[in-house]
């Protein structure tokens, strides 16, 4: 319960929500500042769940190909904190962030290595959106390695899962 976590945790969670809101209002500068403040408050609070929320807000606020090093640090922190019941979704997103960095950097070997733990998270979550993301990454990797027929099959499977999930983002997900 957030009311028992103390002022730093509550402030951190509110700042994380504000950072996300500012991002969706296209105010990247405010989102950056608020997410940094949220993370600092979360570190001060020392509450694992608050830290996970602040780390996610920070990642959202700094999505950019040139912020890969910071993204990897955030992902590592999330993975350290995401052990235990009810935190598989956090680990899933940390692996997604890592894959995105490796893809942008053209490090297909690292991307491939990351698919195994991502697969474990997807099996744990049993959610269509997670499955679709996994299929999309598998398709991207297959395409990058010249396995175009496999890539197309994987992409179509991932797209079908997105469509069945009812996610609004499905229309932009076909490789």
């Amino acid at each position: 319960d957030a009311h028992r976590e103390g002022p730093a945790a509550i402030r951190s969670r509110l700042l994380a929500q504000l950072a996300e809101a500012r991002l969706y209002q296209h105010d990247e500068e405010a989102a950056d500042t608020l997410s940094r403040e949220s993370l600092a408050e979360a570190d001060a609070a020392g509450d694992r769940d608050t830290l996970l929320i602040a780390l996610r807000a920070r990642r959202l606020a700094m999505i950019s190909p040139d912020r890969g090093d910071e993204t990897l640090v955030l992902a590592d922190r999330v993975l350290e904190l995401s052990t235990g019941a009810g935190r598989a979704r956090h680990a899933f997103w940390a692996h997604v962030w890592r894959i995105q960095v490796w893809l942008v950097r053209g490090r297909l070997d690292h991307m491939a290595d990351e698919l195994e733990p991502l697969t474990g998270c997807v099996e744990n979550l049993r959610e269509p959106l997670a499955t679709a993301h996994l299929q999309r990454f598998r398709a991207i990797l297959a395409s990058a390695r010249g396995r175009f027929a496999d890539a197309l099959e994987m992409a179509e499977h991932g797209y079908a899962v997105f469509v069945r999930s009812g996610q609004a983002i499905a229309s932009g997900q076909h490789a």
Side-chain angles (χ1 to χ4, degrees), residues 20-126:
E20 223 175 298
R22 292 293 190 209
L23 182 67
Y24 294 121
Q25 294 171 338
H26 306 287
D27 188 350
E28 290 83 9
E29 188 175 321
D32 184 69
T33 300
L34 290 164
S35 68
R36 285 179 192 276
E37 291 175 14
S38 173
L39 191 51
E41 291 285 342
D43 282 331
D47 176 70
R48 182 191 308 211
D49 291 328
T50 300
L51 270 166
L52 287 166
I53 290 166
L55 288 162
R56 178 182 178 276
R58 182 74 192 126
R59 169 61 178 144
L60 287 173
M62 49 153 274
I63 290 179
S64 171
D66 61 338
R67 312 268 311 255
D69 289 339
E70 188 176 354
T71 297
L72 293 173
V73 169
L74 295 175
D76 288 346
R77 286 190 70 188
V78 169
L79 289 172
E80 289 172 19
L81 294 166
S82 63
T83 58
R87 296 191 178 98
R89 182 169 288 100
H90 296 291
F92 167 81
W93 285 110
H95 290 298
V96 166
W97 302 346
R98 292 178 60 78
I99 287 171
Q100 291 169 337
V101 170
W102 298 133
L103 178 61
V104 167
R105 291 182 175 178
R107 296 301 309 263
L108 301 181
D109 53 335
H110 291 318
M111 183 181 174
D113 291 343
E114 205 67 46
L115 286 176
E116 184 177 333
L118 182 69
T119 299
C121 291
V122 169
E123 289 169 356
N124 245 346
L125 289 171
R126 297 182 192 191

Side-chain angles (χ1 to χ4, degrees), residues 159 162-163 167-174:
Y159 179 73
F162 265 122
V163 169
Q167 294 291 322
I169 59 173
S171 64
Q173 296 302 316
H174 195 267

